[in-house]
Amino acid sequence: MDGENRIILNVGGIRYETYKATLKKIPATRLSRLTEALANYDPVLNEYFFDRHPGVFAQVLNYYRTGKLHYPTNVCGPLFEDELEFWGLDSNQVEPCCWSTYSIHRDTQATLAILDKLDIDSEKPNEEEVARMFGYEEEYLAGTLNLWQRTKPKLWALFNEPHSSLSAKVSV
């Protein structure tokens, strides 16, 4: 009977119906190992319930059906990765047509990590530290900085440190 081969999955309140054989197409994943003994199976409703993102699950189920994993553009990358991990799928299987859109969040996260390391909110360096940074420490200690050596750090801060002064904030 066809009803014995079908399975109902309730994901985030949305019901999906598919064949058991469809879920066996990708072995060693959460959906390929479903049994009625699992805690998320409801014998009264004859369905499995997962409190997960239904929009991402639509792409997950489509992957089982077609063998092609597409990235839904209406969710953020980390959420998509978390959902794939929950279902036991590899994010490297995202189709080439979606890869650049999907991978942008990884580049953004890497950039944010670099910015965090810069510690922009730290105190401004004192004049001696600035002189050391530009290689003028000896001249600073001797009190013999020329006009360029006094001006260069200020110009650098104006363009490279947007929070260093009111002028720098205006130039951004």
Side-chain angles (χ1 to χ4, degrees), residues 81-139:
E81 282 182 345
D82 289 346
E83 289 297 305
L84 291 181
E85 184 179 333
F86 176 81
W87 297 110
L89 300 174
D90 183 4
S91 63
N92 291 322
Q93 298 302 313
V94 172
E95 286 296 301
C97 60
C98 298
W99 184 255
S100 66
T101 305
Y102 164 66
S103 62
I104 286 173
H105 87 276
R106 289 183 178 174
D107 297 337
T108 303
Q109 286 179 323
T111 301
L112 290 173
I114 290 168
L115 291 175
D116 283 345
K117 287 180 184 175
L118 291 178
D119 195 19
I120 293 173
D121 294 331
S122 65
E123 290 183 29
K124 284 176 47 174
N126 64 34
E127 289 182 9
E128 184 176 349
E129 291 169 339
V130 171
R132 186 177 310 121
M133 207 166 57
F134 285 92
Y136 306 145
E137 186 176 13
E138 288 179 25
E139 291 87 345

Side-chain angles (χ1 to χ4, degrees), residues 60-71:
V60 168
L61 186 55
N62 189 56
Y63 179 47
Y64 279 86
R65 290 174 175 154
T66 66
K68 297 179 185 294
L69 180 59
H70 293 279
Y71 171 65

Side-chain angles (χ1 to χ4, degrees), residues 18 31 35 39 59 61 79 106 151 166:
T18 191
L31 293 175
T35 67
Q59 297 303 321
L61 186 55
L79 170 67
R106 289 183 178 174
T151 308
L166 182 58

